[in-house]
Amino acid sequence: MPETEKAQIAHLLRRAGFGATQEELDEFTAMGYDATVRELVYPTPRALDEPDILQRYYLGNLPPDDHRFPGEDLLLRYYPDISRAEGGFVAKWLYRMLNSHDPLKERMALFCHQLFACGGSKAGHPRSNRRQIETFRRVGLTNLRTVLVEVSKDPAMIFWLDNNENHRVEPNENYGRELLELFSMGAGNYTEADVKASTQAFTGWTFDQPLVGTVYGKWPTKFVYHPEDHDDSEKTFLGETGRFNGEDIIDIICRQPATARFVARHLYNFFVADEPPVSAWSQLPPRNIEAIETLSEAYFSHRGEMRPLMHTLFTSDFFKEAMFQKVKSPTDLVAGLARIMGTFKEPEIGIGKHLNAMGSMGQTLMNPLTVEGWITGQGWIDGGTLNERVNYAVNEIADTSVPGTQDLIDRLGTDGESVSLERFVDLCLEHAGLSTVSKETRAGLLSHAHAGGPIKFRSAADRAMSETRVGKMLQLVVSAREYQFY
Amino acid sequence: MVTSVKKPPVLVVVQLAGGNDFMNTIVPFANPLYYDYRPTMGVKEDKVVKINDQVGFHPAAAPLKQFWDSGKMAIVQGIGYPGGSRSHFRSMYIWHTCEPVKISTEGWLGIVTKMLDPKKENVLTSVNFGRGLPQALVSKGVPVTSVGDLDNYGLMTGLTVEEQRMEALDRFKEMYAPAMGTGPVMDYLSETGNSVLQGAEIIKKAPEMYKSKVEYAGNEIARGLRDVARVHLADLGTRIFYVNHGGYDTHSNQAPMHQILLSDLTRAISDFFRDLRDHDAADNVTMLVFTEFGRRVADNGSGTDHGAGGGAFIIGDNVKGGFYAEYPSLKQPDLADGEDLKHTYDYRGMYASILEQVMGLDSVPIVNGKFEQLPIFK
């Protein structure tokens, strides 16, 4: 594969964002790789690019403070189904992934959602769950300590891991354990006594019980600390002793080399190349130990600040060398396809269908099944989910009237009155973001091209015929094995 | 005409994910210590569905009593493994791979699939229902069919012109041709794609053929076991079925949650066997119901934390009903780390019992050693 700067920038934009249009790619290529990284990690402030119309289509807005947003109240009172019909906040989040000028912010929110997996189905309080995603968007690129404190104070998380049931006299270990096992250090780096100390430290961290739901929505809730329910006794945690509260535990966690390595491995798995499931990490070494070392060092030298850490990651050789080393998540598959097709550039009705499709492929955003998050990489693929992926992509791309496909047909037409079948296959592959494919895939595509005869652009009828051919070729391209990688 | 051909044994594995509370499933109501440990979570004696003078089912598990009374249910007590992990994910991995210490990438049922069908003649030898393939079924180069939605399983079904669909499927087959050495995930994709290609055309017969008087409930486990019934009844040569029932991580609000879980589970099991019996297709089916660990002996006021010493059920016409292994002692000095049920029996022995006594397989290479078997089967 020719490692041209343009190809590397395309790779960067797929991983730090959700892909790029040809236009955006040309723009960033003119800037160069390093400048593109800087723009992603330290974006130029822009006016808020969220039109009011977004709210009208998807709702799920979050009030600026803990008071209810009057417009939303009224709308929901009269049209209680409006937000549900179009996926509400998740729809808005997907829309932002596709259109944001600060895509890394949405990527980091998704990273946090994968790492601090929290399921909405248990809570039944969507307001808290969408607030959690807003928190991830807000703090994802700050500092690991800030992120861990915010996660520990997040009402949705507190409910999901039962910290509201973690009392001075009756401790509940769910949060105290998962904070260590899944959110910061990883199994094997602490003892059962540390789990108990961590649990004690988070007693009294709870939320205001919201009032029961009303016909037009639910009331917000917020973090509260109940000192009378906090176990203020002396605790020993990871070798340190004191009357620790939750923030002290997080401070100690953030000083551990195990934490730096664990977060580094998560970043590597999410942004660079697939790793085995988290549950195997205590037994299986990282795929690239040097990369983990580099990121761990960056973690300590930048005192847990995420932006410089991401800068280190995106400018490293191990990142640049990892093109097509990851299996697309359902979010990436759906977002990537919408990017290719040029759909959802404005809010449109119909986004709910795509969210459902992601669920069938194994990823219902804002509702991972367990606190382990989704099993990524090869874990995204089994017979059932591959079936869903292929059928979804094939059905979607069948619509050749979309702007992306029309562009491709235009580009094919500029070749002259007839296009060679090799060129036809190549352009369709490139359009789908695939620079190289196996010889089996290429042979399959070429034999399909040959079966259909030449591609011509002499007349309007030729063009119509070519349009059909492009549609069918793209259907095969998106069902190829290679299309599952990015 | 051959009048009696012995049908090959079929194993249905039901996974209870999250760590089912064994003490509140098989309740030791006669032991006063139980109520000392479980002041809020204890199931009251008058609610327990007693099966002897010591223990009984949680009231929501009452549908299991028919299996117990007819001698078709084994309750294996106090199951665990050395150095029990309180991590759901690690512990489940250990159950899936039969490796409590190191990481193995081979799932026990993946190896079983390979032994049952060494020439890979039937991609439906093992079928999982659900999203995400459990590690238990993973073994390199072994095709396993995983079905998210049985009624819509099939590639390119959106291509309505049959000729075009066939052409697309032919190209798909070419593009997913095995190209060994292109990377493990790419190889896996090839295998998976080919399994879907072959499996879908066969398995889609199952819903078409199925007729039943049994009305299953609409929950996850009922849908899963109905899918098992539909495929089993279609006689497609499936030997291993796998379904997951999640939600057993009851740290809080356990009483109402566990009630629903056990009720959904046991009603689904009851409906499933009734369905099979109605079709005279139950006699070669063995069901294993397992979970990754039991929960802490003492409750935490509204639920229970992660513990050890769980339990499993084995149900089928071939089962010699009764209790197997020992219910762990509840006496304080006998508890593991002073707070967990100490396991009395290694789960790998239970696997070995099923593998050797039912499936007729050598268990040693599957469970990685020799473990004490129990005489569970007739």
Side-chain angles (χ1 to χ4, degrees):
Chain A
M1 182 188 306
E3 304 285 349
T4 64
E5 193 166 27
K6 186 172 179 175
Q8 288 195 333
I9 289 171
H11 164 64
L12 172 67
L13 293 167
R14 284 193 296 269
R15 299 294 182 81
F18 295 85
T21 60
Q22 285 296 331
E23 226 180 344
E24 287 165 333
L25 194 53
D26 289 340
E27 228 173 87
F28 283 117
T29 306
M31 282 166 64
Y33 187 89
D34 290 340
T36 305
V37 172
R38 279 206 77 77
E39 179 56 31
L40 286 164
V41 176
Y42 303 98
T44 314
R46 291 180 193 235
L48 202 64
D49 59 352
E50 293 199 359
D52 173 53
I53 196 168
L54 196 58
Q55 171 66 4
R56 272 189 237 167
Y57 274 86
Y58 304 135
L59 283 185
N61 216 18
L62 206 75
D65 52 32
D66 282 325
H67 298 289
R68 289 167 66 75
F69 177 62
E72 184 174 349
D73 252 10
L74 206 62
L75 267 174
L76 280 170
R77 196 183 299 189
Y78 283 95
Y79 305 104
D81 288 332
I82 191 169
S83 61
R84 279 198 289 278
E86 273 307 300
F89 186 86
V90 190
K92 186 182 283 185
W93 193 16
L94 180 59
Y95 179 84
R96 284 170 175 151
M97 291 178 197
L98 294 173
N99 296 293
S100 175
H101 291 298
D102 189 358
L104 185 57
K105 180 181 181 174
E106 309 304 331
R107 234 333 147 193
M108 283 310 283
L110 191 57
F111 171 75
C112 288
H113 185 38
Q114 165 71 25
L115 173 49
F116 310 110
C118 182
S121 62
K122 179 178 168 183
H125 193 259
R127 197 171 273 271
S128 297
N129 288 84
R130 67 199 200 207
R131 174 180 291 281
Q132 183 185 63
I133 304 297
E134 286 292 8
T135 301
F136 291 157
R137 295 177 73 235
R138 180 165 53 79
V139 301
L141 280 165
T142 57
N143 187 293
L144 184 69
R145 183 187 186 278
T146 309
V147 177
L148 288 174
V149 170
E150 293 274 352
V151 165
S152 306
K153 288 182 173 177
D154 180 80
M157 183 60 81
I158 289 172
F159 187 79
W160 167 244
L161 291 181
D162 304 308
N163 209 58
N164 53 320
E165 296 290 348
N166 183 18
H167 304 292
R168 185 169 53 82
V169 286
E170 284 176 327
N172 184 311
E173 286 180 4
N174 207 8
Y175 188 71
R177 175 183 305 280
E178 302 305 9
L179 172 67
L180 303 180
E181 180 183 336
L182 294 170
F183 295 172
S184 64
M185 297 176 65
N189 294 303
Y190 53 86
T191 64
E192 284 295 316
D194 293 323
V195 170
K196 289 196 162 63
S198 160
T199 300
Q200 279 177 301
F202 282 98
T203 48
W205 289 48
T206 186
F207 52 78
D208 256 347
Q209 285 294 338
L211 297 172
V212 288
T214 64
V215 285
Y216 54 88
K218 291 192 175 178
W219 297 87
T221 177
K222 63 175 191 291
F223 173 74
V224 288
Y225 173 63
H226 290 152
E228 74 285 359
D229 198 21
H230 175 70
D231 180 345
D232 198 33
S233 63
E234 193 170 82
K235 313 162 184 76
T236 298
F237 180 67
L238 296 170
E240 300 187 33
T241 303
R243 287 165 59 187
F244 299 139
N245 208 323
E247 298 208 16
D248 305 313
I249 294 293
I250 291 170
D251 283 335
I252 297 171
I253 286 173
C254 287
R255 288 200 289 271
Q256 306 299 315
T259 302
R261 281 196 302 271
F262 188 72
V263 172
R265 200 164 179 184
H266 263 292
L267 288 170
Y268 185 90
N269 178 53
F270 192 80
F271 287 98
V272 185
D274 288 324
E275 285 269 7
V278 181
S279 53
W281 287 6
S282 58
Q283 262 77 16
L284 296 183
R287 174 173 165 148
N288 183 339
I289 292 171
E290 275 176 45
I292 301 304
E293 291 298 319
T294 303
L295 292 173
S296 304
E297 281 164 26
Y299 170 85
F300 283 114
S301 59
H302 298 290
R303 297 165 191 271
E305 288 295 327
M306 297 306 287
R307 283 190 201 273
L309 190 53
M310 296 315 295
H311 190 270
T312 304
L313 188 150
F314 292 133
T315 50
S316 69
D317 287 341
F318 63 77
F319 175 75
K320 293 178 189 170
E321 285 156 8
M323 280 188 210
F324 300 101
Q325 298 281 301
K326 280 184 64 63
V327 176
K328 284 172 183 165
S329 69
T331 305
D332 281 298
L333 188 93
V334 167
L337 202 61
R339 282 288 204 157
I340 293 170
M341 294 174 66
T343 46
F344 292 103
K345 287 187 169 169
E346 301 292 339
E348 309 172 34
I349 293 294
I351 207 162
K353 164 183 105 165
H354 304 274
L355 301 171
N356 292 340
M358 280 156 59
S360 301
M361 295 173 206
Q363 187 177 37
T364 302
L365 283 182
M366 291 173 68
N367 200 20
L369 288 177
T370 78
V371 63
E372 193 184 15
W374 292 285
I375 310 291
T376 58
Q378 187 173 318
W380 287 123
I381 306 287
D382 62 50
T385 53
L386 181 64
N387 190 96
E388 299 286 349
R389 282 168 171 253
V390 169
N391 286 354
Y392 170 80
V394 165
N395 292 344
E396 276 305 296
I397 207 83
D399 180 1
T400 52
S401 71
V402 294
T405 310
Q406 287 298 319
D407 282 352
L408 171 63
I409 295 161
D410 289 345
R411 260 186 294 144
L412 272 167
T414 59
D415 262 26
E417 288 192 343
S418 72
V419 184
S420 85
L421 294 177
E422 277 77 12
R423 169 99 178 132
F424 172 49
V425 169
D426 282 343
L427 269 181
C428 288
L429 282 169
E430 186 193 295
H431 180 73
L434 294 174
S435 36
T436 51
V437 291
S438 70
K439 61 179 193 306
E440 290 82 6
T441 297
R442 216 181 140 72
L445 298 175
L446 268 172
S447 48
H448 173 75
H450 279 289
I455 302 281
K456 290 178 292 190
F457 282 94
R458 277 190 210 103
S459 62
D462 279 352
R463 185 182 158 104
M465 179 60 87
S466 300
E467 185 170 320
T468 310
R469 299 280 306 281
V470 165
K472 293 201 184 315
M473 180 58 74
L474 287 178
Q475 285 188 310
L476 287 182
V477 168
V478 299
S479 61
R481 290 179 297 173
E482 289 83 351
Y483 189 71
Q484 303 305 328
F485 293 83
Y486 79 122
Chain B
M1 190 176 145
V2 183
T3 47
S4 144
V5 177
K6 202 169 162 1
K7 288 187 272 183
V10 169
L11 177 64
V12 178
V13 178
V14 178
Q15 167 176 299
L16 310 183
N20 179 41
D21 186 359
F22 183 64
M23 277 176 77
N24 272 14
T25 307
I26 304 298
V27 182
F29 65 85
N31 191 335
L33 287 172
Y34 168 72
Y35 292 101
D36 292 347
Y37 290 123
R38 299 280 175 102
T40 52
M41 282 303 108
V43 182
K44 300 270 179 308
E45 182 178 347
D46 60 341
K47 295 277 194 306
V48 173
V49 180
K50 294 179 185 171
I51 47 182
N52 62 25
D53 58 2
Q54 292 297 311
V55 299
F57 291 116
H58 185 290
L64 292 180
K65 185 125 189 314
Q66 56 178 302
F67 299 105
W68 179 263
D69 288 346
S70 58
K72 291 177 176 173
M73 174 177 185
I75 299 175
V76 189
Q77 315 175 100
I79 313 177
Y81 51 87
S85 171
R86 284 182 181 172
S87 157
H88 297 292
F89 314 103
R90 180 73 192 121
S91 195
M92 207 40 115
Y93 205 89
I94 288 167
W95 276 85
H96 283 185
T97 61
C98 299
E99 261 302 350
V101 183
K102 55 179 204 267
I103 287 285
S104 163
T105 52
E106 289 227 289
W108 74 289
L109 295 171
I111 304 171
V112 170
T113 309
K114 189 158 40 180
M115 286 181 169
L116 293 174
D117 183 17
K119 292 183 183 156
K120 305 182 196 180
E121 284 163 321
N122 186 356
V123 294
L124 299 177
T125 299
S126 292
V127 178
N128 170 59
F129 291 99
R131 315 232 180 256
L133 189 63
Q135 183 65 35
L137 284 162
V138 175
S139 181
K140 199 171 169 352
V142 178
V144 168
T145 296
S146 188
V147 181
D149 178 0
L150 182 60
D151 294 294
N152 291 304
Y153 194 67
L155 282 166
M156 314 280 179
T157 45
L159 302 183
T160 45
V161 180
E162 192 58 15
E163 207 181 313
Q164 282 174 11
R165 179 166 180 263
M166 291 333 253
E167 207 253 351
L169 288 176
D170 281 347
R171 298 303 167 220
F172 185 89
K173 201 171 170 182
E174 275 176 73
M175 295 195 295
Y176 282 67
M180 300 312 276
T182 45
V185 186
M186 198 58 102
D187 293 348
Y188 171 77
L189 258 166
S190 286
E191 279 160 17
T192 309
N194 281 308
S195 297
V196 182
L197 205 55
Q198 295 170 48
E201 298 306 307
I202 311 167
I203 211 168
K204 74 178 180 201
K205 284 190 234 159
E208 292 163 14
M209 291 163 63
Y210 179 75
K211 272 199 181 66
S212 172
K213 293 196 290 274
V214 176
E215 276 190 43
Y216 289 81
N219 55 66
E220 179 201 13
I221 185 63
R223 277 195 301 270
L225 285 177
R226 179 171 178 263
D227 283 347
V228 173
R230 289 197 286 174
V231 175
H232 175 66
L233 293 173
D235 219 2
L236 304 173
T238 302
R239 305 285 303 279
I240 308 284
F241 289 101
Y242 202 100
V243 284
N244 181 61
H245 188 212
Y248 287 87
D249 193 16
T250 49
H251 288 273
S252 71
N253 205 28
Q254 176 169 319
M257 296 266 295
H258 203 220
Q259 167 87 29
I260 294 168
L261 289 164
L262 289 180
S263 166
D264 288 353
L265 171 74
T266 58
R267 193 197 141 186
I269 292 175
S270 165
D271 285 347
F272 171 72
F273 275 102
R274 190 154 54 88
D275 200 4
L276 297 198
R277 271 196 298 273
D278 285 354
H279 292 86
D280 193 21
D283 54 334
N284 61 332
V285 174
T286 307
M287 175 182 281
L288 166 66
V289 184
F290 84 100
T291 190
E292 72 263 40
F293 46 59
R295 304 193 77 81
R296 197 74 48 83
V297 171
D299 71 42
N300 64 18
S302 93
T304 51
D305 292 318
H306 302 180
F313 304 140
I314 300 174
I315 301 170
D317 290 353
N318 57 343
V319 169
K320 269 194 290 187
F323 289 105
Y324 292 89
E326 260 178 74
Y327 204 107
S329 162
L330 299 191
K331 293 192 189 112
Q332 177 68 36
D334 295 336
L335 299 180
D337 303 321
E339 54 186 9
D340 281 344
L341 294 179
K342 192 180 278 176
H343 77 277
T344 57
Y345 182 63
D346 193 298
Y347 73 108
R348 289 166 290 186
M350 180 177 67
Y351 284 177
S353 310
I354 297 169
L355 294 168
E356 305 257 348
Q357 298 169 40
V358 179
M359 308 300 285
L361 298 171
D362 175 9
S363 67
V364 175
I366 304 171
V367 304
N368 301 316
K370 266 197 176 314
F371 296 87
E372 184 204 345
Q373 290 185 37
L374 300 168
I376 295 173
F377 301 97
K378 285 174 188 158

